[in-house]
Amino acid sequence: SYELIQPPSVSVSPGQTASITCSGDKLGNKYACWYQQKPGQSPVVVIYQDTKRPSGIPERFSGSNSGNTATLTISGTQAMDEADYYCQAWDSSTVVFGGGTKLTVL
Amino acid sequence: QVQLQQWGAGLLKPSETLSLTCAVYGGSFSGYYWSWIRQPPGKGLEWIGEINHSGSTNYNPSLKSRVTISVDTSKNQFSLNLNSVTAADTAVYYCARDPCTGDCHHYYFDLWGRGTLVTVSS
């Protein structure tokens, strides 16, 4: 079965750039998206179809997807961005999530 | 503003059947794919399966033998049944929508329910 691999944790200082990766076989040939989840809340999509940002999501969130890796980049990271982030893709008519990355802003 | 409201039993015994329902309020039901997704406490997200208004389904192969997702278009609702539950099925269960209209996929979920915690314990 298809797998998406994320680092369990990423740390970043306020104002710096955070990058979270998501790896999967030929992931660049699929659409990837990213969700932000804060404690006790439902996930919220921050990037969809590799690079698109939904309305209401700050411009500091951006995405890319090429080869075997999709990347979520948060520029000028703020304390409010501290959360769990999940990548997601489709493979063979099924949805696959990455294991999640806890972003710590310190 | 479209909202998803979900409900169902929160405490089950091993071997029982989990049943949850998700209702769509304030927007269109037809033309979308609707999914169930779960998250064990402290762990990641797992997709369970999806259905559209016509009843066409796709399931996670790892759960397919125990899962049934059904739809009631007259009530703008869809439901999840998961049989023979064990403690490993303890999770928050979410309903969610793929925003593509017209029997298609945009490959992400733009709308999520608030989640229902289901605990399996003897």
Side-chain angles (χ1 to χ4, degrees):
Chain A
S1 61
Y2 195 77
E3 288 187 272
L4 294 174
I5 306 298
Q6 299 179 232
S9 62
V10 169
S11 297
V12 64
S13 299
Q16 298 304 302
T17 296
S19 295
I20 301 174
T21 58
C22 175
S23 298
D25 186 47
K26 298 181 176 66
L27 180 57
N29 292 343
K30 310 176 192 298
Y31 275 135
C33 64
W34 292 89
Y35 301 93
Q36 177 192 71
Q37 186 180 35
K38 296 183 178 179
Q41 298 183 16
S42 303
V44 174
V45 62
V46 294
I47 294 291
Y48 68 96
Q49 293 178 357
D50 297 339
T51 62
K52 298 177 181 177
R53 194 175 57 249
S55 61
I57 300 301
E59 291 184 9
R60 63 180 180 273
F61 288 87
S62 64
S64 64
N65 185 16
S66 179
N68 295 322
T69 304
T71 303
L72 173 69
T73 302
I74 310 173
S75 304
T77 307
Q78 300 183 10
M80 68 173 65
D81 300 330
E82 186 163 288
D84 293 328
Y85 290 85
Y86 295 91
C87 61
Q88 179 239 298
W90 278 75
D91 180 75
S92 301
S93 298
T94 61
V95 173
V96 180
F97 288 98
T101 299
K102 181 175 183 57
L103 177 67
T104 300
V105 183
L106 42 66
Chain B
Q1 176 114 354
V2 183
Q3 292 187 352
L4 302 183
Q5 183 173 339
Q6 52 182 113
W7 65 89
L11 181 61
L12 297 173
K13 290 180 166 45
S15 80
E16 292 184 334
T17 296
L18 179 158
S19 293
L20 298 174
T21 297
C22 182
V24 180
Y25 295 107
S28 176
F29 182 79
S30 297
Y32 294 98
Y33 272 93
W34 304 93
S35 280
W36 288 100
I37 296 158
R38 71 179 182 178
Q39 184 173 35
K43 297 188 178 180
L45 300 165
E46 180 181 33
W47 181 73
I48 300 169
E50 65 172 3
I51 193 166
N52 69 1
H53 68 284
S54 301
S56 177
T57 56
N58 287 304
Y59 296 128
N60 185 327
S62 68
L63 296 168
K64 187 174 184 177
S65 63
R66 298 194 292 131
V67 172
T68 301
I69 298 177
S70 58
V71 66
D72 185 341
T73 54
S74 68
K75 296 181 180 179
N76 285 4
Q77 295 176 0
F78 62 106
S79 298
L80 168 69
N81 275 11
L82 178 68
N83 59 37
S84 304
V85 298
T86 69
D89 296 309
T90 294
V92 174
Y93 287 75
Y94 296 99
C95 53
R97 183 186 76 173
D98 182 304
C100 188
T101 56
D103 194 26
C104 56
H105 290 89
H106 277 333
Y107 306 105
Y108 71 101
F109 304 107
D110 71 327
L111 191 62
W112 294 67
R114 297 183 67 175
T116 300
L117 175 62
V118 177
T119 302
V120 181
S121 175
S122 55

